[in-house]
Amino acid sequence: MKLHELSVAALGRGLREREFSSVEVTRAFLDRIAARNPALNAFITVTAGRALADAAAADARLARGEGRPLTGVPLAHKDIFCTDGILTTCGSRILGNFVAPYDATVVERLDAAGMVLLGKTNMDEFAMGSSNETSGYGPVRNPWDPGRVPGGSSGGSAAAVAAGLAPVATGTDTGGSIRQPAALTGLTGLKPTYGRVSRYGMIAFASSLDQGGVLAQSAVDAALVLAAMAGPDARDSTCIERPVPDYVAGLERPMRGLRIGIIREFFGPGLEPGTGAAVQAALGGFRTLGAELVEVSLPNLPLSVPTYYVVAPAEASSNLSRFDGVRFGHRCADPQDLRDLYERSRGEGFGAEVKRRIMTGTYVLSAGYYDAYYLKAQQVRSLINADFRRAFAAVDVLMGPTSPTPAFPLGAKVDDPITMYLNDIYTIGANLAGLPAISVPCGLVEGLPVGLQVIGPHFAEELLLAVAHAWQRETDWHQRRPPEPAGGTA
Amino acid sequence: MSGGWETVIGLEIHAQLATRAKIFSGAATAFGAPPNAQACLVDLGYPGVLPVLNGEAVRMAVRFGLAIGARIAPRSVFARKNYFYPDLPKGYQISQYELPIVSGGAVTIVLEDGSRKRIGVTRAHLEEDAGKSLHEGLGEWTGIDLNRAGTPLLEIVSEPELRSAREAIAYMKKIHTLVRYLGICDGNMQEGSFRCDANVSVRPVGASEFGTRCEIKNLNSFRFVDKAIQYEVGRQIELIEGGGRVVQETRLYDSDRGVTRPMRTKEEANDYRYFPDPDLLPLVLEPAFVESVRATLPELPDDKAARFVADHGLSEYDAGVLTASRELADYYEAVVAALGGEPKLAANWVMGDLAGLLNRDGLEISGAPVTAAGLAGLLGRIVDGTISGKIAKEVLEAMWSEGQGADAVIEARGLRQITDSTALEAVIAAVLAANPGQLAGYRAGKDKLFGFFVGQVMKATGGKANPAQVNELLKRLLAGP
Amino acid sequence: MTLTRRDVENIAHLARLRISEAELPAYANNLSRILGFVEQLAAADTAGVVPMAHPLEGEVQRLRADVVTETDRHERYQQNAPAVEAGLYLVPKVIE
């Protein structure tokens, strides 16, 4: 196998056993990026020089026998994570010149684990999107079909890992932004429990929903990286003080007796038949492994999309007020007065979808509308949460599709916000309730990957990874790779 | 107050809490640093950073709540108040809205006629201060210094129960005294550590509805509060009597011109879009926490004043003056302790000569060159008859400027009273001999001339004669051989 | 809910966003559709339901020690600032 085809686990092992060096591995991925990124647009920034220097330092540690599981293994960060001294755009033109003066906790921890940063990946602007088409730096192409989207908002991370430009990448998930692109590109994407991974240094979209996680080639890789990035952080009040289990050690677990709840509401008319069939087949696979399948109903779950499109824009409208052209970021030319400075800097710096969400959020919080929209949505959020709690009293995990359809063509939904929003119909519930959820590849429909979603109770990452791993021991969907373009590769 | 109108005032006092670090960040709160030197990433509202609450700010708010007999919320919530302004880096202020940490307390103010009035405190909530805008010397620009951004504030909101500028001042002074007693605010008004917004309205006497109010922002001295309210009340009455209508608005006090005027940046109606801050979790205070704070409360000014009246026999007025600051009360009590009693003498000297010297030199009690022990030493010499009260004033001035103890000054200047009867008798004999006419007059029944002889004896002894002794000897010697 | 151009102008101003005349109709249309979409929430029976502001029920705010941990780094931080003079961030003159 070529270096860029190896998993994180295999790279870590090979590095520690000195089969290859981190510099060799890093160079291989940088070569892949140079060759493929112009077509995919998965990276906004490539940090080649720094990556090679970090790789050399990792090699020195490995030579001294100080290697740990991730030492010298490259990765890519979604450009939502602040990286000290490196351009951090959050997919927005308003941060087109923003060099973060500090590292996000996630960045700091994966750095401390010895990982080598290849660069920052493209994303929907401020993580607002499900197709990567709202990026201020151009859309990302799906490696499985360059005419299609990779999903979003962590589309750059997804495309980079799927195409072998990085062995693993971080992402963030506010309404499905890790799981949906993972599903659309054939990856394993884990959104942890809200509060499991620090949000410090992760540029906020909707603070009560945002959660950092990982897009990987397998449950094993996701477990390795999550173990290094999760855990308490004194700089984030919402990050829970709870020890991090050994996710890798917890992977081997029999599925016999596992109670799986099939979410009835996830198999309605909006589900594309091929996707539904692939998911049903996967559910059958778990039955074969000895799991018990029961249908469960979460009656309020269909309201998750409208609930989300009140709560998330409300929080976003406030979170994005700091981009005002005063202390950082884009500032309009020749502001006439303060109002002009604000309105033009923000008007020029933000894209259309971000503006729509800021205005939606501003509206639902404004005097006279707060109760009817914002408060109501918080109440429905309570109902949805209660539905999940009831379900988990009866089952260990919930399953269903991650996305209603496989990857759709670029431009297909870009003009219609509602249709675009409905892409996240199966993923948003977990964000509203703060639950961990994982998407694992479970089939191909007309050459495009399909994802199975597994949702667990709070802090059940270990169980979700074990379920995903059990599935991946029986199947090879996660090892399928998109076709290489004609004309050779690096 | 012109006839027929009643003034209604509510104050929102902003007290900067005296923490070392800011309310949501680890940056220093010290005053006077170079611009933006104490503005860290959290204070600057940088992308990605998050607030974590300073526990000391919480303890200080609880101290205040307990001191005014308020309810301490077992669960309070931080909310975002959204508006755009350059000194507000995030575009929102983290404050408390629906569920404040402190609610429903009261303080008692004493009015000039000696009557007392209870003023309700609706609520007190924690919030972060904004930065400062500097308008001078930057041409067409305004400069923003965010050092103050994130400094913890306790916003103390009174009920609209104040009926005059004087009541407002008395209330504000009361809170000022209290926060300094509690050690939660340095009370420095020049540096903006203690300031207020005044909500002012007028209504016909006897009316039950409130009139339309105006909010006067950012008053940072007692004098400005007084002047601004008086001006605003006059303006509103004049407006209404002239057939106009008060418009609810935010105004600024222009201290140069002594007027209030509408604040331009607040001309448009604000819609603050408050909602719970998702970056912070509910603040839950267990009863044990509240009790641990209660255990550290100092004796409060009202209790201290009551004790001074009951145990020291001071008047209520004197007790009020002495307890206006914790330092002054401590000083007074230290004098009494060192003196072993004589509280009235101590009170008179602390409030009189000592206060006069402090005032003359622009000093706080903590900076007085004469310590409580030093003053007690001086008063002891009055009590034991070494010097008279009048000479003691001279001794205090010398102690003040020379830094010496009372005894050293008395010795060096030879100010010890003449208490030797033989010596005094000789002086008196000489005075009588020198004034035969007055002597004859006195003996003929002109009793009023007694004072003349006292004056002559004091003059001859340079004021050092013991006045009681002079009286006694004079009476005997004037009566004749 | 159908928003007029004027509504959109007001919201845009509250959010400090410059929206051009030409863009107004599209925003009015899209925002009206989004608000129309979320209005299905009105049908949910939420009588007596406690609003959920946060996904982690029962978790409470942590308190930090009152310790100064930050040093003066304003020169570094101001490298990102569009206009600075004498350590101050500059904005067009504000008249209070």
Side-chain angles (χ1 to χ4, degrees):
Chain A
M1 267 176 116
K2 295 174 180 160
L3 288 176
H4 74 260
E5 290 171 344
L6 294 177
S7 68
V8 169
L11 285 169
R13 213 165 26 242
L15 286 164
R16 281 195 308 286
E17 290 169 9
R18 317 298 310 281
E19 288 171 23
F20 38 76
S21 71
S22 178
V23 168
E24 285 173 285
V25 171
T26 301
R27 214 181 283 283
F29 281 105
L30 290 173
D31 288 348
R32 284 286 293 178
I33 292 170
R36 298 289 313 277
N37 193 55
L40 292 173
N41 198 27
F43 282 85
I44 291 174
T45 302
V46 179
T47 51
R50 181 165 162 159
L52 289 168
D54 287 352
D59 282 333
R61 285 199 298 281
L62 287 159
R64 292 195 299 269
E66 294 166 10
R68 286 177 291 148
L70 298 172
T71 305
V73 178
L75 94 161
H77 280 305
K78 185 176 181 178
D79 208 17
I80 199 169
F81 289 102
C82 285
T83 39
D84 197 349
I86 299 170
L87 182 70
T88 300
T89 68
C90 213
S92 182
R93 286 288 165 190
I94 209 163
L95 288 178
N97 56 3
F98 179 70
V99 176
Y102 75 107
D103 276 333
T105 298
V106 162
V107 171
E108 196 178 84
R109 291 198 176 155
L110 294 178
D111 196 45
M115 298 195 84
V116 173
L117 177 62
L118 296 167
K120 309 288 292 290
T121 59
N122 203 343
M123 56 182 284
D124 279 301
E125 185 178 7
F126 284 102
M128 298 177 190
S130 309
S131 67
N132 229 292
E133 292 166 291
T134 74
S135 169
Y137 301 86
V140 178
R141 309 261 166 181
N142 191 324
W144 293 84
D145 177 350
R148 292 175 186 268
V149 304
S153 66
S154 310
S157 287
V161 178
L165 311 193
V168 67
T170 54
T172 60
D173 191 317
T174 305
S177 282
I178 288 174
R179 291 161 287 160
Q180 184 254 18
L184 270 47
T185 57
L187 298 178
T188 302
L190 174 65
K191 176 203 107 70
T193 307
Y194 183 88
R196 179 73 286 184
V197 171
S198 170
R199 293 188 297 115
Y200 183 81
M202 198 175 104
I203 298 176
F205 158 18
S207 312
S208 79
L209 302 161
D210 297 341
Q211 183 60 199
V214 55
L215 293 103
Q217 301 167 53
S218 67
V220 178
D221 283 5
L224 276 164
V225 176
L226 179 66
M229 68 195 275
D233 181 6
R235 294 171 295 190
D236 175 2
S237 298
T238 64
C239 189
I240 302 307
E241 294 183 87
R242 187 180 168 116
V244 179
D246 185 340
Y247 294 120
V248 177
L251 284 170
E252 303 296 336
R253 177 167 175 157
M255 292 295 103
R256 183 155 302 282
L258 183 79
R259 291 168 304 165
I260 297 173
I262 312 301
I263 301 175
R264 179 192 299 157
E265 287 76 12
F266 280 9
F267 293 87
L271 181 59
E272 185 271 322
T275 301
V279 170
Q280 291 291 1
L283 295 173
F286 276 98
R287 186 181 283 119
T288 310
L289 290 173
E292 287 173 38
L293 271 55
V294 291
E295 192 179 78
V296 297
S297 173
L298 287 83
N300 293 292
L301 206 47
L303 290 174
S304 60
V305 181
T307 301
Y308 177 87
Y309 278 95
V310 173
V311 173
E315 294 181 8
S317 70
S318 176
N319 284 333
L320 269 56
S321 292
R322 69 190 64 203
F323 303 101
D324 59 5
V326 178
R327 297 166 315 288
F328 42 74
H330 174 73
R331 178 183 182 117
C332 66
D334 301 323
Q336 298 307 297
D337 54 27
L338 189 62
R339 178 174 170 175
D340 189 44
L341 167 71
Y342 285 151
E343 295 191 350
R344 247 177 342 115
S345 298
R346 292 164 59 79
E348 294 164 4
F350 291 135
E353 179 62 19
V354 170
K355 284 185 227 178
R356 272 199 289 273
R357 297 215 195 175
I358 290 175
M359 285 196 277
T360 305
T362 301
Y363 184 81
V364 299
L365 288 174
S366 63
Y369 300 100
Y370 181 91
D371 286 2
Y373 290 98
Y374 183 74
L375 201 65
K376 184 79 181 182
Q378 281 198 327
Q379 289 178 308
V380 177
R381 188 175 181 180
S382 252
L383 295 177
I384 293 167
N385 188 49
D387 278 1
F388 275 113
R389 218 176 26 231
R390 262 192 303 278
F392 285 121
V395 301
D396 299 312
V397 295
L398 293 166
M399 286 192 187
T402 304
S403 169
T405 68
F408 46 89
L410 270 100
K413 303 184 181 182
V414 77
D415 294 325
D416 182 358
I418 306 291
T419 311
M420 188 68 95
Y421 296 172
L422 287 170
N423 265 300
D424 297 331
I425 190 161
Y426 306 141
T427 46
I428 279 172
N431 298 86
L432 291 171
L435 300 168
I438 195 167
S439 179
V440 288
C442 70
L444 290 171
V445 174
E446 293 173 14
L448 296 172
V450 173
L452 167 74
Q453 185 180 202
V454 190
I455 305 173
H458 288 135
F459 298 102
E461 286 80 5
E462 214 178 350
L463 175 60
L464 294 187
L465 287 163
V467 169
H469 182 61
W471 174 247
Q472 290 176 346
R473 282 179 17 148
E474 301 296 320
T475 62
D476 68 349
W477 296 115
H478 64 293
Q479 288 166 342
R480 306 288 181 96
R481 287 288 165 269
E484 289 289 323
T489 61
Chain B
M1 176 61 40
S2 75
W5 295 98
E6 182 182 46
T7 303
V8 175
I9 303 161
L11 291 189
E12 293 170 12
I13 293 174
H14 292 85
Q16 279 185 355
L17 296 176
T19 54
R20 286 185 282 270
K22 292 186 178 173
I23 184 166
F24 298 118
S25 82
T29 55
F31 183 82
N36 292 304
Q38 286 174 180
C40 72
L41 294 171
V42 172
D43 309 321
L44 293 170
Y46 247 71
V49 296
L50 296 166
V52 183
L53 183 58
N54 184 336
E56 193 56 28
V58 174
R59 271 183 281 276
M60 288 178 170
V62 172
R63 277 169 87 80
F64 179 79
L66 293 174
I68 61 163
R71 174 176 175 273
I72 308 299
R75 183 174 177 279
S76 60
V77 169
F78 287 95
R80 294 185 182 178
K81 178 181 182 179
N82 294 282
Y83 64 97
F84 285 89
Y85 203 66
D87 65 13
L88 187 71
K90 297 185 295 296
Y92 59 85
Q93 179 193 30
I94 305 177
S95 183
Q96 296 188 306
Y97 185 52
E98 284 181 341
L99 295 171
I101 185 166
V102 169
S103 57
V107 295
T108 300
I109 59 172
V110 180
L111 306 176
E112 287 114 274
D113 62 1
S115 66
R116 291 161 176 276
K117 183 171 175 183
R118 185 179 183 279
I119 306 297
V121 174
T122 317
R123 58 185 281 162
H125 64 255
L126 283 166
E127 62 183 26
E128 55 180 345
D129 208 343
K132 280 182 185 165
S133 302
L134 293 117
H135 307 294
E136 309 302 323
L138 293 163
E140 61 200 302
W141 303 100
T142 287
I144 308 297
D145 176 6
L146 296 170
N147 280 346
R148 197 179 69 176
T151 299
L153 286 180
L154 189 66
E155 178 172 332
I156 304 159
V157 183
S158 83
E159 292 288 331
E161 293 174 348
L162 301 160
R163 291 291 174 268
S164 67
R166 287 183 176 184
E167 287 188 18
I169 301 290
Y171 166 79
M172 196 174 172
K173 284 188 170 164
K174 186 81 190 189
I175 299 288
H176 190 243
T177 296
L178 192 57
V179 295
R180 285 178 306 142
Y181 257 78
L182 296 168
I184 63 172
C185 174
D186 68 16
N188 190 325
M189 297 176 79
Q190 272 166 356
E191 292 178 2
S193 303
F194 189 85
R195 53 191 202 264
C196 86
D197 302 338
N199 285 295
V200 179
S201 64
V202 298
R203 62 180 173 186
V205 168
S208 56
E209 303 269 302
F210 289 128
T212 303
R213 65 166 198 254
C214 289
E215 182 180 15
I216 314 169
K217 281 271 183 209
N218 253 329
L219 298 163
N220 64 353
S221 85
F222 295 120
R223 205 164 57 86
F224 289 171
V225 171
D226 186 32
K227 300 216 163 193
I229 291 174
Q230 293 206 40
Y231 175 85
E232 181 61 18
V233 167
R235 185 188 74 86
Q236 291 185 13
I237 292 171
E238 199 173 310
L239 195 61
I240 299 168
E241 289 183 343
R245 211 167 53 82
V246 175
V247 180
Q248 185 166 341
E249 64 187 354
T250 306
R251 300 177 70 88
L252 277 183
Y253 178 63
D254 181 338
S255 57
D256 294 334
R257 293 166 53 220
V259 302
T260 66
R261 60 166 173 82
M263 196 169 171
R264 293 215 205 168
T265 45
K266 300 272 181 177
E267 268 170 7
E268 51 189 298
N270 264 307
D271 184 341
Y272 291 126
R273 290 160 284 138
Y274 282 100
F275 73 104
D277 190 334
D279 288 333
L280 292 160
L281 297 167
L283 175 61
V284 171
L285 301 179
E286 303 293 342
F289 175 88
V290 176
E291 289 316 306
S292 75
V293 174
R294 193 193 303 277
T296 66
L297 284 183
E299 183 181 30
L300 298 174
D302 285 355
D303 298 336
K304 204 183 274 289
R307 183 164 58 80
F308 287 175
V309 171
D311 298 356
H312 294 185
L314 301 188
S315 71
E316 287 207 7
Y317 178 82
D318 288 357
V321 171
L322 287 171
T323 53
S325 87
R326 189 169 165 180
E327 292 74 20
L328 187 66
D330 287 350
Y331 187 100
Y332 157 75
E333 286 212 88
V335 173
V336 174
L339 199 52
E342 302 288 344
K344 284 187 182 170
L345 180 69
N348 287 337
W349 278 82
V350 170
M351 294 188 301
D353 291 85
L354 184 84
L357 289 168
L358 288 171
N359 195 37
R360 184 193 73 188
D361 295 351
L363 293 172
E364 297 291 324
I365 188 75
S366 54
V370 174
T371 62
L375 181 61
L378 174 65
L379 301 187
R381 292 297 163 262
I382 299 175
V383 174
D384 70 12
T386 305
I387 54 173
S388 67
K390 194 168 171 210
I391 291 291
K393 290 175 192 291
E394 184 187 335
V395 176
L396 179 62
E397 289 238 23
M399 292 167 71
W400 191 270
S401 51
E402 293 161 17
Q404 284 183 301
D407 289 341
V409 172
I410 292 166
E411 288 310 318
R413 300 195 172 192
L415 296 174
R416 184 176 289 276
Q417 278 189 151
I418 301 167
T419 51
D420 177 343
S421 301
T422 317
L424 275 179
E425 280 179 23
V427 172
I428 292 168
V431 166
L432 300 189
N435 299 285
Q438 281 84 352
L439 179 62
Y442 179 83
R443 287 182 172 159
K446 289 189 179 173
D447 290 352
K448 284 187 182 166
L449 281 168
F450 188 78
F452 165 79
F453 289 107
V454 173
Q456 291 301 308
V457 173
M458 294 311 275
K459 193 173 165 190
T461 58
K464 291 185 286 183
N466 181 316
Q469 216 174 348
V470 169
N471 276 0
E472 188 192 317
L473 290 173
L474 256 181
K475 271 183 189 154
R476 184 156 53 80
L477 294 173
L478 280 169
Chain C
M1 173 59 64
T2 303
L3 296 180
T4 63
R5 288 166 63 112
R6 179 101 190 102
D7 292 331
V8 176
E9 282 173 345
N10 288 340
I11 300 166
H13 174 54
L14 202 51
R16 298 297 187 274
L17 292 170
R18 179 71 46 88
I19 304 292
S20 70
E21 277 292 316
E23 297 169 303
L24 275 177
Y27 277 103
N29 176 41
N30 279 322
L31 291 175
S32 298
R33 291 187 55 217
I34 293 166
L35 291 171
F37 173 71
V38 302
E39 268 161 23
Q40 59 184 291
L41 293 175
D45 180 4
T46 54
V49 174
V50 178
M52 181 172 165
H54 210 274
L56 296 168
E57 293 166 298
E59 293 288 339
V60 301
Q61 180 58 39
R62 227 184 1 253
L63 300 179
R64 211 185 63 238
D66 182 26
V67 178
V68 175
T69 54
E70 300 293 328
T71 52
D72 177 9
R73 295 185 69 203
H74 78 277
E75 284 180 14
R76 173 87 200 274
Y77 299 157
Q78 290 185 344
Q79 282 170 15
N80 279 315
V84 178
E85 192 176 315
L88 298 162
Y89 295 96
L90 297 186
V91 298
K93 190 130 195 137
V94 178
I95 301 157
E96 290 189 319

